[in-house]
Amino acid sequence: MADCVFCKIAAGEIPADKVYEDGGVVAFRDISPQAPTHIIIIPRAHIESAADISEDSAHLAAECFAAIARIAKSERLEGGFRVITNAGADAGQTVGHLHFHLLGGVKMGEGLI
Ligand code: AMP
Ligand code: ZN
């Protein structure tokens, strides 16, 4: 997608603090972190949001979660972590490329799961 900031990060066209990448997944530190560890995990393929995952593309979400488990170990989040994905306007999604927020490094409260 020509105007998608996360597609551009995946392609290396704009800089990001990448912590992991493989053939299908890229992960980088959020530019505006909301926890001591705040990493964005994306499939390289452009999917708008979790609302657009199909049977054909579900494996990309699974690959993201495999990466999340690896990153949680490399970031030493042994105490636990939270994964969030915002889908659509009501959830406050601001970047229209499926992504998962990996949040950790702090004891999180019970609000919003
Ligand atoms: P969401 O509100 O779920 O769509 O989250 C989008 C996230 O992407 C926000 O937490 C932003 O801080 C983050 N973000 C936007 N642009 C960049 C960027 N160029 N590099 C890293 N993180 C970004
Ligand atoms: Zn994209």
Side-chain angles (χ1 to χ4, degrees):
M1 285 283 282
D3 279 336
C4 174
V5 63
F6 285 178
C7 280
K8 287 180 177 166
I9 287 174
E13 291 169 10
I14 62 172
D17 186 0
K18 291 180 183 170
V19 298
Y20 176 84
E21 60 184 320
D22 62 28
V25 174
V26 180
F28 49 90
R29 295 193 191 279
D30 197 292
I31 203 166
S32 181
Q34 296 188 31
T37 300
H38 184 173
I39 293 168
I40 300 284
I41 298 92
I42 63 168
R44 288 186 186 276
H46 183 88
I47 299 170
E48 190 86 5
S49 80
D52 302 288
I53 297 172
S54 65
E55 295 294 334
D56 287 345
S57 59
H59 68 283
L60 298 174
E63 287 177 28
C64 286
F65 273 88
I68 286 166
R70 292 178 66 148
I71 296 163
K73 289 186 182 71
S74 64
E75 293 288 319
R76 301 184 167 280
L77 301 179
E78 299 94 346
F81 57 87
R82 187 170 288 175
V83 177
I84 294 174
T85 189
N86 294 319
D90 280 3
Q93 184 178 6
T94 58
V95 178
H97 180 128
L98 174 66
H99 56 279
F100 300 95
H101 297 260
L102 171 59
L103 300 156
V106 66
K107 178 95 174 155
M108 282 171 259
E110 293 179 1
L112 278 177
I113 313 301

